[in-house]
């Protein structure tokens, strides 16, 4: 099976495989303030797989409207913050920032949700898509298949400035085996190793501000650790954790000082999750350890923040490859402090916060976005707790 790129925290097939604003007409703000009337908006339809255009939005402020929360999420563009007047309140303002998100291959994983939240705050979005999935992904964009899921809260459509082919398992062209070079699924694509992608981004845009790692793959994920081969174990480490080290190492020279990087991990890094095998638990543990070390190294070298989000289970296409995602979601709903299903948007919004100046002193951290499941020491749905008066949360 082939090397692949996915939304992290889930494993896909194996490899061979707000806020109201006072008269806002500038793009991309999340601001906590008073209230406004409902916004009016307009947008243009998607015209190409690499450029999804939207229009800007304007608001008028009515001081007599009752206090409430509302979102204004316009076009994702890149422009200088120097020309934009600061807003009152506490904004998540990523205008003028450019984000590269590695690992988006469809429209329902955490990578996609993070892209939407970053776009909502004003960031320009670049995407790295696994090479064999590139044609399907671009075709789906072009045909409008993702239009519904591209909608931001105000009804406008997320803009993706450019999609790059990427296989983060390979650092440079010299690392690519002959059988992969000859694979028809890679035919027609070029410059897709980590080094080449970074060179293309540098040539196209000069620099980025935000790097998101949404990749994971374990070719033997369905095997218990005791039955995992050396090759399967090392493949999981390579695709799921070292790929982040490689991306940061190559992108670091073109990440603007003060920039932010975010990866995605899972509670299996520190707790036993039966069925999450093939070395994937080890890969997530390595990713979290690397987050701390890289926070020091990238912070001292280029003032870059490095954090990871430990996200709860999500019903995505990638996660279904594990084989028990429905069971994990059900377990989380029954046992987490918040007895509800986690949404991808909740992880996306946490990522937007981590990428913003509001998190300027947060680095080397594992942020749990899992309805609090990580805090539980037992599963309260166990029969042994039948006689306890435990709130169901319904």
């Amino acid at each position: 099976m082939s090397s692949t790129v996915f939304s992290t925290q889930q494993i896909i097939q194996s490899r061979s495989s707000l806020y109201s604003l006072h008269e806002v007409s500038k793009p991309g703000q999340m601001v906590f303030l008073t209230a406004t009337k409902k916004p009016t908006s307009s947008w243009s339809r998607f015209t190409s797989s690499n450029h999804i255009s939207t229009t800007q939005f304007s608001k008028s402020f009515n001081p007599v409207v009752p206090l409430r929360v509302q979102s204004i999420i316009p076009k994702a563009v890149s422009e200088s913050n120097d020309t934009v007047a600061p807003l009152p309140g506490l904004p998540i303002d990523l205008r003028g920032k450019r984000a590269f998100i590695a690992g988006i291959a469809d429209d329902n994983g955490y990578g996609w949700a993070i892209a939407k939240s970053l776009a909502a705050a004003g960031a320009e979005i670049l995407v790295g898509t696994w090479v064999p999935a590139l044609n399907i992904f671009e075709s789906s964009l072009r045909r409008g298949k993702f239009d519904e899921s591209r909608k931001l809260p105000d009804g406008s459509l997320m803009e993706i400035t450019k999609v790059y082919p990427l296989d983060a398992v390979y650092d440079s062209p010299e690392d690519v085996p002959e059988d992969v070079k000859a694979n028809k699924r890679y035919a027609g694509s070029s410059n897709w190793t980590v080094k080449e992608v970074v060179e293309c981004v540098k040539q196209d845009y000069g620099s980025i501000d935000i790097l998101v790692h949404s990749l994971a793959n374990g070719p033997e994920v369905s095997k218990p650790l005791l039955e995992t081969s050396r090759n399967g174990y090392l493949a999981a480490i390579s695709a799921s954790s070292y790929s982040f080290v490689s991306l940061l190492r190559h992108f670091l020279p073109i990440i603007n000082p003060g920039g932010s990087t975010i990866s995605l991990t899972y509670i299996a890094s520190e707790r036993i999750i039966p069925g999450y095998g093939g070395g994937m638990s080890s890969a997530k543990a390595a990713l979290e350890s690397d987050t701390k070390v890289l926070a020091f190294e990238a912070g001292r070298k280029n003032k870059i923040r490095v954090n990871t989000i430990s996200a709860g289970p999500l019903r995505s296409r990638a996660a279904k490859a594990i084989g028990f995602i429905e069971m994990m979601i059900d377990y989380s709903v029954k046992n987490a402090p918040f007895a509800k299903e986690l949404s991808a948007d909740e992880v996306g919004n946490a990522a937007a916060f981590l990428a913003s100046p509001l998190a300027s002193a947060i680095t080397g951290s594992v942020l749990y976005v899992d309805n609090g499941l990580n805090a539980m020491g037992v599963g309260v749905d166990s029969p042994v707790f039948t006689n306890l008066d435990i709130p169901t949360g319904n």
Side-chain angles (χ1 to χ4, degrees):
M1 301 177 67
S2 71
S3 160
T4 184
V5 187
F6 332 100
S7 313
T8 309
Q9 183 356 353
Q10 287 86 30
I11 308 302
I12 200 171
Q13 301 94 8
S14 72
R15 140 175 151 53
S16 206
S17 83
L18 319 148
Y19 344 33
S20 38
L21 303 182
H22 294 279
E23 300 188 22
V24 174
S25 61
K26 295 295 183 181
Q29 307 289 334
M30 291 185 182
V31 183
F32 302 90
L33 270 178
T34 54
T36 60
K37 297 177 181 178
K38 290 185 179 180
T40 57
S41 62
S42 63
W43 61 88
S44 57
R45 299 290 292 174
F46 166 66
T47 56
S48 75
S49 63
N50 286 343
H51 193 84
I52 306 165
S53 62
T54 59
T55 61
Q56 299 182 354
F57 293 80
S58 61
K59 292 226 19 115
S60 61
F61 175 69
N62 185 344
V64 300
V65 178
L67 178 66
R68 66 191 183 85
V69 178
Q70 182 173 321
S71 61
I72 302 267
I73 307 175
K75 177 182 177 182
V77 298
S78 178
E79 64 178 46
S80 173
N81 276 332
D82 295 337
T83 64
V84 181
L87 290 163
L90 192 63
I92 295 181
D93 185 359
L94 297 177
R95 290 174 297 175
K97 306 299 183 182
R98 182 176 295 114
F100 184 92
I101 298 135
I104 296 180
D106 56 43
D107 65 335
N108 70 344
Y110 284 134
W112 181 267
I114 291 172
K116 287 180 66 177
S117 291
L118 295 178
E124 181 179 14
I125 305 300
L126 309 178
V127 168
T129 298
W130 184 48
V131 184
L134 181 67
N135 289 336
I136 295 176
F137 182 67
E138 289 194 311
S139 176
S140 295
L141 284 171
R142 190 164 49 248
R143 292 161 49 199
K145 184 178 179 181
F146 297 155
D147 280 2
E148 187 62 31
S149 58
R150 281 173 49 219
K151 284 184 179 179
L152 299 175
D154 64 348
S156 65
L157 301 182
M158 175 179 66
E159 172 181 336
I160 298 177
T161 301
K162 189 166 184 178
V163 179
Y164 293 87
L166 170 68
D167 193 329
V169 170
Y170 305 108
D171 297 326
S172 64
E174 295 75 26
D175 300 324
V176 182
E178 290 300 323
D179 62 324
V180 174
K181 292 179 181 178
N183 192 314
K184 64 180 182 180
R185 292 181 298 174
Y186 286 76
S189 294
S190 59
N191 300 321
W192 43 260
T193 64
V194 174
K195 180 180 179 180
E196 291 172 302
V197 169
V198 173
E199 289 173 347
C200 289
V201 172
K202 180 180 180 180
Q203 181 177 352
D204 292 341
Y205 301 100
S207 65
I208 65 170
D209 303 277
I210 302 163
L211 173 64
V212 178
H213 176 274
S214 182
L215 307 170
N217 179 37
E220 298 180 20
V221 65
S222 60
K223 292 183 179 180
L225 187 57
L226 278 173
E227 298 175 13
T228 299
S229 69
R230 182 183 296 271
N231 286 339
Y233 184 94
L234 295 177
I237 294 287
S238 174
S240 308
S241 52
Y242 185 77
S243 57
F244 176 61
V245 178
S246 178
L247 281 166
L248 181 53
R249 178 164 74 95
H250 287 86
F251 266 111
L252 191 61
I254 67 167
I255 301 179
N256 293 317
S260 174
T261 72
I262 301 165
S263 63
L264 289 162
T265 186
Y266 184 46
I267 193 63
S269 63
E270 53 186 292
R271 301 283 189 271
I272 300 168
I273 306 293
Y276 193 77
M280 280 306 306
S281 58
S282 306
K284 292 304 183 184
L287 181 64
E288 293 180 17
S289 177
D290 292 344
T291 294
K292 295 176 173 61
V293 177
L294 293 170
F296 174 79
E297 295 181 355
R300 291 298 182 94
K301 187 171 184 178
N302 208 32
K303 298 181 180 179
I304 303 302
R305 294 184 293 111
V306 183
N307 294 292
T308 187
I309 294 175
S310 184
L314 177 70
R315 186 179 287 102
S316 69
R317 295 185 186 93
K320 292 177 181 178
I322 306 174
F324 63 97
I325 188 62
E326 296 293 339
M327 180 181 70
M328 292 306 300
I329 292 173
D330 184 61
Y331 178 86
S332 179
V333 170
K334 291 179 178 178
N335 292 284
F338 285 167
K340 67 178 184 62
E341 188 169 332
L342 182 71
S343 76
D345 289 344
E346 291 173 307
V347 173
N349 292 339
F353 162 72
L354 285 177
S356 77
L358 296 181
S360 60
I362 301 176
T363 191
S365 297
V366 178
L367 177 63
Y368 296 96
V369 186
D370 61 357
N371 287 324
L373 186 63
N374 71 92
M376 299 301 297
V378 295
V380 296
D381 62 344
S382 170
V384 303
F385 295 108
T386 300
N387 295 327
L388 291 183
D389 185 17
I390 298 175
T392 62
N394 294 330

